[in-house]
Amino acid sequence: MKQNNTGINTICTHVGELKDNEYKGAVSPLYMSTSYAFEDVDIKRYPRYFNTPNQKALSKKIAALEHAEDAMIFGSGMAAVSTALLAFLKAGDHVVLQNMLYGGTQNLVTKQFENFGISYSFTEGLKPSDFEAKIKENTKVIYIETPSNPLLTITDLAAVANIAKKHNLVSMIDNTFASPVNQNPIDFGIDVVIHSATKYMGGHSDICAGAVASSKVNMERIFQLAINLGGSLSDYTVWLLERSIKTMGIRVKCQNENAMRLAEYLEENVNIKQVNYPGLASHPEHALAKSQMHGFGGMLSFELKESIDATEFRKALKLIKSSMSLAGVESTVLSPTQTSHALLSEEDRFKQGIADGLIRFSIGIEEPEDLIADIDQALEQVKAKQPALNSQ
């Protein structure tokens, strides 16, 4: 739990920083060594053991941000996801997963878990009863993602945590879309919190990393597997990630405000068929999101009217970039069917409600008026090329 009511920006800036005792520099020194002494030392340090000075310091910052006892940094979000899941699952075990997940996570489960003798079930919906209905005698883990990628559905954190405790299961969440600024699942009873730190923690589209935060007991179990899987992060990237997290609070606050403005604009735009954003009163889980989030996030998705070609629209944008990832300071759009969820079958995407024309929109820190102007000009440009469709 969060202690001493320390503010989010203070945690981002100061917790876990290393002191430069020799030159008194204002930022953490960078220790690049991959080889440390093993005699007459309290800790035998080695990069693959996640315990170099920079690794340990940044882990303290992430633990504080997620109100956890401990944390670890990984080489990617999927390294964090796979290590956390496999630390609590073995041959003969079963895991219950939310039916709407990041495509990479779903692909890991559907393509690899049978090789490990691990069975799985995806829920039919997001109600607490949907999760409980899938629990078996050999179930060990419940895994969720909220807000979800790319439809921004909301799952009840407290309800899932209570179900997990009732059945003596480990509850896990991918908290990437929310970030620790907007949501702290441990406060609601969730056991393990996972991040693609590439996203809001990195925030500048130049770092690939992952993070896991939990209790000391859980993190020790994750650590014992992690040292064998080898998904550690280089200290230079760790140092860059610490630098980036210092501004995460102010970046995400700006992105929250911009996303709300853009969601309202898109919802009122006659060219838009559907907008998915938990901050909108029209969102089916708006009240739930409001009860468990500090802010509604910088991510939304939307569908254009059938008469407007989504690919041509993305290509017509001038300021907003078509780009594979999300959560940078620059605004980006992508097609989930071509990128984040391309590994899923067309049938699985259809079941989740991911249409070919769906556009995922990661809002940056630009002035919202400039983003709106870019969308307007792109819509007008595409519509001008499709007079026959527009007249129907």
Side-chain angles (χ1 to χ4, degrees):
M1 293 292 292
K2 184 179 176 182
Q3 297 180 350
N4 302 323
N5 296 315
T6 306
I8 185 72
N9 290 320
T10 302
I11 294 173
C12 286
T13 305
H14 293 291
V15 172
E17 63 181 344
L18 292 171
K19 301 295 184 184
D20 182 356
N21 293 320
E22 184 170 359
Y23 297 108
K24 312 302 180 184
V27 301
S28 296
L30 169 58
Y31 295 92
M32 293 290 289
S33 180
T34 59
S35 183
Y36 289 85
F38 65 92
E39 294 180 320
D40 301 321
V41 294
D42 295 329
I43 301 173
K44 293 181 174 64
R45 299 187 187 276
Y46 188 61
R48 187 169 58 81
Y49 279 68
F50 301 83
N51 65 359
T52 63
N54 292 98
Q55 288 172 337
K56 293 299 291 184
L58 182 54
S59 293
K60 290 179 182 178
K61 188 188 295 289
I62 291 174
L65 285 167
E66 280 295 9
H67 307 173
E69 292 179 348
D70 201 1
M72 289 175 63
I73 314 299
F74 290 83
S76 70
M78 282 308 302
V81 169
S82 58
T83 306
L85 280 167
L86 292 174
F88 292 90
L89 295 167
K90 64 181 186 305
D93 289 344
H94 173 260
V95 54
V96 175
L97 303 110
Q98 177 177 313
N99 65 345
M100 293 185 182
L101 292 175
Y102 166 57
T105 303
Q106 188 159 342
N107 191 61
L108 165 72
V109 173
T110 59
K111 295 296 193 296
Q112 301 297 329
F113 272 22
E114 289 183 2
N115 296 332
F116 295 106
I118 299 168
S119 60
Y120 57 87
S121 299
F122 288 98
T123 64
E124 298 298 327
L126 298 177
K127 298 189 298 294
S129 57
D130 291 316
F131 288 91
E132 196 144 30
K134 296 295 183 179
I135 295 174
K136 301 180 180 181
E137 288 187 3
N138 60 334
T139 302
K140 302 297 181 184
V141 172
I142 296 180
Y143 186 98
I144 65 174
E145 177 183 309
T146 181
S148 71
N149 181 0
L151 295 176
L152 286 300
T153 58
I154 303 297
T155 306
D156 191 324
L157 295 174
V160 169
N162 289 335
I163 291 169
K165 287 176 172 56
K166 174 183 174 182
H167 295 276
N168 196 30
L169 310 177
V170 175
S171 55
M172 297 186 183
I173 181 175
D174 183 335
N175 200 34
T176 299
F177 264 30
S179 86
V181 179
N182 288 326
Q183 186 170 267
N184 301 113
I186 287 174
D187 292 352
F188 294 85
I190 298 295
D191 296 310
V192 180
V193 179
I194 302 167
H195 285 274
S196 171
T198 308
K199 310 306 191 296
Y200 287 105
M201 290 185 181
H204 295 79
S205 304
D206 57 7
I207 289 171
C208 184
V212 179
S214 188
S215 66
K216 287 187 178 297
V217 171
N218 287 339
M219 292 310 303
E220 177 61 25
R221 185 164 178 169
I222 292 168
F223 166 75
Q224 291 300 330
L225 176 63
I227 59 176
N228 292 323
L229 295 184
S232 60
L233 191 62
S234 75
D235 281 299
Y236 180 63
T237 309
V238 169
W239 184 86
L240 289 173
L241 183 56
E242 191 223 354
R243 174 217 59 183
S244 294
I245 290 177
K246 288 182 179 182
T247 62
M248 181 172 64
I250 57 176
R251 283 189 281 105
V252 171
K253 180 181 178 182
C254 179
Q255 288 165 308
N256 288 346
E257 294 170 354
N258 282 357
M260 190 73 238
R261 176 79 180 277
L262 268 295
E264 291 170 344
Y265 153 77
L266 290 167
E267 189 172 48
E268 295 173 359
N269 193 306
V270 296
N271 300 294
I272 308 300
K273 178 180 178 181
Q274 173 70 32
V275 181
N276 307 303
Y277 185 65
L280 293 173
S282 59
H283 190 286
E285 295 96 34
H286 172 67
L288 176 59
K290 193 174 181 180
S291 72
Q292 62 188 33
M293 299 182 75
H294 313 304
F296 297 112
M299 296 299 303
L300 62 84
S301 60
F302 64 94
E303 286 186 60
L304 296 164
K305 291 284 181 67
E306 288 82 355
S307 60
I308 302 174
D309 185 274
T311 300
E312 292 300 317
F313 167 76
R314 290 192 300 272
K315 290 181 178 179
L317 293 166
K318 296 178 179 179
L319 179 66
I320 301 166
K321 303 175 187 295
S322 285
S323 190
M324 287 278 285
S325 195
L326 61 99
V329 292
E330 69 285 340
S331 292
T332 61
V333 292
L334 61 67
S335 163
T337 61
Q338 295 180 42
T339 57
S340 62
H341 291 69
L343 295 174
L344 302 186
S345 67
E346 185 176 0
E347 180 183 1
D348 286 339
R349 289 196 297 266
F350 179 78
K351 286 180 180 178
Q352 290 193 28
I354 302 172
D356 288 343
L358 182 72
I359 293 174
R360 194 184 74 186
F361 190 5
S362 172
I363 290 84
I365 64 170
E366 306 95 338
E367 277 68 29
E369 295 82 6
D370 295 331
L371 299 174
I372 290 171
D374 193 30
I375 293 172
D376 282 342
Q377 69 81 23
L379 286 169
E380 290 305 312
Q381 186 179 151
V382 174
K383 287 165 66 178
K385 292 181 180 179
Q386 301 174 304
L389 286 173
N390 293 334
S391 64
Q392 293 178 2

